[in-house]
Amino acid sequence: MSEVTTAAAGQAGDALENLLKENRKFAPSAEFAANAIVHGDEYAKADADRPAFWGEQSRELLSWSKPFTKTLDWSNPPFATWFEDGEINAAYNALDRHVEAGNGDRVAIYFEGEPGDTRTYTYAQLTEEVKKATNAFESLGVIKGDRVAVYLPMIPEAVITLLACARIGAIHSVVFGGYSADALRSRIDDAEAKLVVTADGTFRRGKPSPLKPAVDEALSAPGHSVQNVVVVKRNGEDVNWVEGRDVWWDDSVGTASTEHTAVGHPAEHPLFILYTSGTTGKPKGILHTTGGYLTQTAYTHRAVFDLHPETDVFWCTADVGWVTGHSYVTYAPLINGATQVMYEGTPDSPHQGRFWEIVEKYKVSILYTAPTAIRTFMKWGEDIPAKYDLSSIRLLGSVGEPINPEAWMWYRRVIGADKAPVVDTWWQTETGAIMIAPLPGVTAAKPGSAQVPLPGIAVDVVDELGASVPNGHGGYLVIREPWPAMLRGIWGDNERYQDTYWSRFDGMYFAGDGAKWDEDGDVWLLGRVDDVMNVSGHRLSTTEIESALVSHPSVAEAAVVGAADETTGQSVVAFVILRGSAVEDADIVTTLRNHVGHEIGPIAKPRTILVVPELPKTRSGKIMRRLLKDVAEGRTVGDASTLADNTVMNQIAESLRK
Ligand code: WT7
């Protein structure tokens, strides 16, 4: 279990012992509990018959154009189907039906641009925009089943594009705008995308920041599948234009008809692919389908955030490039008919109070953000949020990485006026929706713990052999039963799907996280136990960054570890062995950081690159990252007895002293 403990040590400085001695508890106020959407009896109801429970949720929360008669089919594990004989249109559920129900004038999106420009879309207006985009994409030849790559900033057109794809039954594949041209190309190729939707660019810290050049670079080499590129004019900068391929959004979507009737797609029709980092170099295209995904995202959004759609203003700060921006920006809030805020920029632009200014301005009542942001706000000081009226806030959510109790307490006290429940939500790109979280009107919340599997979700912590561990013990987080929003596979690679998630423990989904049951039976997430790092809630693969480093001619070998970082959770530290004359190059570290930025994207740039003469390897040639992690985190190096050459760690220490 040494890897699990190492991962735990990676959490923002909280020693494992302290974590597990947490005995502060915050029960919901009587008032909150009385008005809560979901009550405690939901657990027993779900336990009695999981598939039936999800079937009931699905019928209640969604409008099916053809009702399903079957719930779960698990006769061919690990391939599940949910609600298989039903038909449903995701965009109709997110849009038209709210207008038909008389809620067309309700605000769907308050958009706040990074330079301060704003736009408001009611449900009626957003429905029209999506119908136009649907017609425009269809006239470019996009049909059901085609893949559409999306490389956009956090602007309403991102949500409009995704919903237009869903309406057609085309499969969207969003690539985060911070990824490089190379990363974009490999994702376009893997999914064989027919259309790319992008923008001239966005804004960062008040200045234009380009996006289209990366698309042009990605498509510069022949042999790709892309026929058209639709370009949103966002920052107004000049762009390179490929006649016949490129189309302005305003010319295609802008002029399209507002009439479009949605048809239902089979429940198991693919909704999207989203690439995420795994333990090997090649990103995995996580595949999600329609009916089950919509059911669980809508249910969890309502239950975990206690959503009252008529009165709440929901703000999830995640970018649409990550799964959180799919499930809790694009789909669930709109399916549930909520009003939400969408923000294009960073928390410190043009000043460190920007988030709180937005909360005050739109009277945000539910805020969902990441621990790395919370720790940054702590660093900036509580006098900054104190300048704003945050009294609209009644619930706070956290996602993306373990939240240390200190940050949890600060979040509740400073942002939540010491009364807003904090819900720490554990889930993954693969799970599609929240899996572990307190229910805000039910659970007495415990700082730092995601606590309880949601109703209808069967989570466990097991040892090396797959046996459940008792309370007070740690091991590996697994999911024992299929769940509606589970990934249906890895795009084009069923074998990798089985190997990655279903082969470590018999009949269980292996999440890749270490976890612990505490004495009360609450779950604590302890970080990844595999070669995946979590930097500011972004998932990065050690091997992917190593491959990027060794693709540079000056690098002979590279090893990457995630080192504990007070603000970002983990940070990327690389150890490299240089080739020949590169050793004399004073700028080599900068060169290599930029090279990684070019190969993968700025988010993957190592914080530190250490040039070393050797790397610690076992006799079978496997790099012992555990030892490098000790070095990167400034600890005494642990047991090095299995090294092929036991002088290596001394050589490394010696070279770092120089
Ligand atoms: C990994 C999944 C879920 C959307 C954002 C990240 C870590 C996520 C928590 C949490 C502890 C968490 C896990 C997980 N993680 N939420 N509340 N507490 N760890 O999605 O990029 O697929 O990453 O993020 O390690 O495996 P992702």
Side-chain angles (χ1 to χ4, degrees):
M1 298 304 313
S2 65
E3 279 168 299
V4 174
T5 8
T6 316
Q11 294 194 43
D14 284 301
L16 184 56
E17 298 78 62
N18 290 340
L19 270 176
L20 297 168
K21 272 192 211 120
E22 181 59 62
N23 45 27
R24 288 170 289 198
K25 274 204 179 183
F26 299 89
S29 69
E31 194 200 342
F32 195 102
N35 293 319
I37 296 267
V38 171
H39 302 280
D41 54 352
E42 203 104 326
Y43 293 108
K45 205 168 77 185
D47 280 347
D49 187 339
R50 278 198 178 84
F53 168 78
W54 286 117
E56 194 184 315
Q57 297 309 323
S58 191
R59 285 187 196 97
E60 228 164 77
L61 295 167
L62 305 175
S63 307
W64 290 79
S65 56
K66 176 175 174 245
F68 56 88
T69 63
K70 300 196 281 187
T71 52
L72 167 70
D73 183 346
W74 190 234
S75 57
N76 180 30
F79 300 93
T81 67
W82 282 90
F83 318 124
E84 199 189 347
D85 59 346
E87 287 178 4
I88 187 164
N89 189 290
Y92 173 81
N93 273 268
L95 301 162
D96 313 47
R97 65 168 180 158
H98 301 310
V99 181
E100 289 166 13
N103 292 322
D105 291 338
R106 187 183 293 171
V107 172
I109 297 178
Y110 287 118
F111 169 67
E112 174 90 10
E114 123 98 47
D117 58 320
T118 61
R119 275 187 262 168
T120 299
Y121 290 87
T122 63
Y123 272 91
Q125 290 166 331
L126 195 65
T127 305
E128 268 203 4
E129 289 307 313
V130 170
K131 287 181 177 177
K132 282 157 67 180
T134 306
N135 287 322
F137 297 169
E138 281 182 342
S139 68
L140 291 171
V142 176
I143 58 168
K144 181 170 172 173
D146 280 346
R147 274 78 60 206
V148 175
V150 181
Y151 191 65
L152 279 170
M154 261 315 261
I155 54 176
E157 286 82 354
V159 169
I160 293 167
T161 297
L162 268 46
L163 292 174
C165 290
R167 199 172 181 93
I168 297 169
I171 306 164
H172 55 75
S173 166
V174 181
V175 180
F176 175 58
Y179 279 121
S180 69
D182 281 4
L184 175 61
R185 172 66 187 250
S186 67
R187 286 157 175 78
I188 288 173
D189 284 350
D190 188 71
E192 296 172 282
K194 191 188 236 179
L195 179 71
V196 178
V197 183
T198 188
D200 48 2
T202 174
F203 300 91
R204 275 293 168 266
R205 305 190 199 292
K207 290 201 200 74
S209 161
L211 276 170
K212 176 124 191 318
V215 176
D216 293 328
E217 190 187 331
L219 301 181
S220 61
H224 59 74
S225 47
V226 175
Q227 293 174 3
N228 290 104
V229 178
V230 173
V231 188
V232 177
K233 189 171 270 178
R234 172 62 188 139
N235 66 12
E237 294 287 290
D238 286 342
V239 290
N240 165 53
W241 203 253
V242 178
E243 283 306 330
R245 184 197 73 183
D246 297 351
V247 190
W248 284 111
W249 175 281
D250 287 343
D251 294 341
S252 61
V253 178
T255 61
S257 155
T258 55
E259 300 295 318
H260 188 278
T261 308
V263 298
H265 302 301
E268 285 297 338
H269 184 68
L271 184 62
F272 66 87
I273 307 169
L274 185 58
Y275 287 84
T276 188
S277 299
T279 52
T280 65
K282 192 170 173 264
K284 303 176 280 198
I286 301 301
L287 175 67
H288 282 287
T289 60
T290 311
Y293 173 83
L294 296 180
T295 301
Q296 196 181 332
T297 50
Y299 173 75
T300 52
H301 183 246
R302 210 170 148 266
V304 176
F305 301 114
D306 187 43
L307 180 81
H308 292 68
E310 312 77 25
T311 48
D312 274 318
V313 177
F314 177 76
W315 182 21
C316 166
T317 67
D319 191 280
V320 75
W322 312 111
V323 73
T324 313
H326 284 59
S327 302
Y328 299 103
V329 178
T330 306
Y331 289 104
L334 298 174
I335 297 280
N336 287 335
T339 295
Q340 69 174 321
V341 170
M342 182 175 193
Y343 171 53
E344 183 183 20
T346 55
D348 57 350
S349 189
H351 55 79
Q352 295 177 336
R354 185 74 187 264
F355 265 36
W356 317 122
E357 192 177 77
I358 293 174
V359 167
E360 178 180 288
K361 180 171 173 186
Y362 297 104
K363 301 197 167 44
V364 170
S365 58
I366 305 170
L367 177 68
Y368 191 29
T369 195
T372 186
I374 299 164
R375 291 191 293 265
T376 304
F377 299 138
M378 287 172 75
K379 224 163 49 183
W380 291 344
E382 49 188 273
D383 49 316
I384 294 175
K387 287 188 224 149
Y388 300 88
D389 177 6
L390 306 182
S391 60
S392 54
I393 287 189
R394 60 174 205 92
L395 189 130
L396 297 166
S398 172
V399 63
E401 49 183 317
I403 178 165
N404 47 308
E406 200 196 346
W408 195 104
M409 291 298 295
W410 188 93
Y411 197 29
R412 180 184 156 99
R413 181 176 59 79
V414 178
I415 307 304
D418 231 342
K419 60 173 198 280
V422 173
V423 288
D424 176 16
T425 64
W426 179 91
W427 57 296
Q428 310 177 295
T429 306
E430 292 87 340
T431 69
I434 300 171
M435 301 292 279
I436 309 176
L439 287 179
V442 178
T443 320
K446 206 185 261 182
S449 168
Q451 293 186 290
V452 231
L454 287 178
I457 300 297
V459 159
D460 201 358
V461 181
V462 300
D463 65 17
E464 293 282 350
L465 299 172
S468 298
V469 302
N471 286 356
H473 291 264
Y476 301 99
L477 186 76
V478 295
I479 304 164
R480 284 191 174 277
E481 303 285 342
W483 62 102
M486 69 191 268
L487 75 164
R488 298 302 196 264
I490 294 175
W491 184 255
D493 201 342
N494 279 345
E495 205 175 305
R496 192 172 175 199
Y497 167 63
Q498 274 169 300
D499 287 354
T500 311
Y501 304 107
W502 300 93
S503 66
R504 178 75 175 79
F505 303 108
D506 204 25
M508 298 176 232
Y509 171 88
F510 173 47
D513 282 42
K516 193 132 187 162
W517 292 120
D518 70 10
E519 294 299 347
D520 303 330
D522 282 328
V523 187
W524 291 76
L525 281 313
L526 303 177
R528 303 288 305 194
V529 294
D530 52 13
D531 294 333
V532 170
M533 296 171 291
N534 190 326
V535 179
S536 299
H538 297 158
R539 206 160 136 178
L540 296 169
S541 148
T542 52
T543 20
E544 200 181 346
I545 299 177
E546 285 165 4
S547 314
L549 284 165
V550 295
S551 75
H552 191 278
S554 299
V555 177
E557 268 190 87
V560 166
V561 296
D565 182 288
E566 249 187 48
T567 307
T568 58
Q570 287 188 312
S571 66
V572 180
V573 177
F575 295 80
V576 294
I577 304 178
L578 296 177
R579 275 183 211 281
S581 62
V583 186
E584 264 88 68
D585 179 355
D587 299 327
I588 189 69
V589 166
T590 314
T591 307
L592 293 179
R593 288 189 75 241
N594 291 337
H595 178 70
V596 173
H598 187 262
E599 291 290 300
I600 305 173
I603 48 165
K605 281 186 184 178
R607 182 195 65 185
T608 313
I609 297 183
L610 300 165
V611 176
V612 293
E614 270 309 328
L615 289 172
K617 288 186 190 152
T618 61
R619 277 169 209 103
S620 61
K622 198 174 177 303
I623 294 172
M624 290 191 71
R625 291 202 184 77
R626 177 171 59 80
L627 301 178
L628 293 173
K629 209 170 148 108
D630 288 340
V631 174
E633 292 176 349
R635 262 193 310 277
T636 320
V637 172
D639 181 10
S641 59
T642 53
L643 283 183
D645 172 357
N646 57 21
T647 67
V648 166
M649 291 316 291
N650 293 337
Q651 290 179 47
I652 291 176
E654 180 62 27
S655 75
L656 297 182
R657 264 196 296 277
K658 283 195 217 140

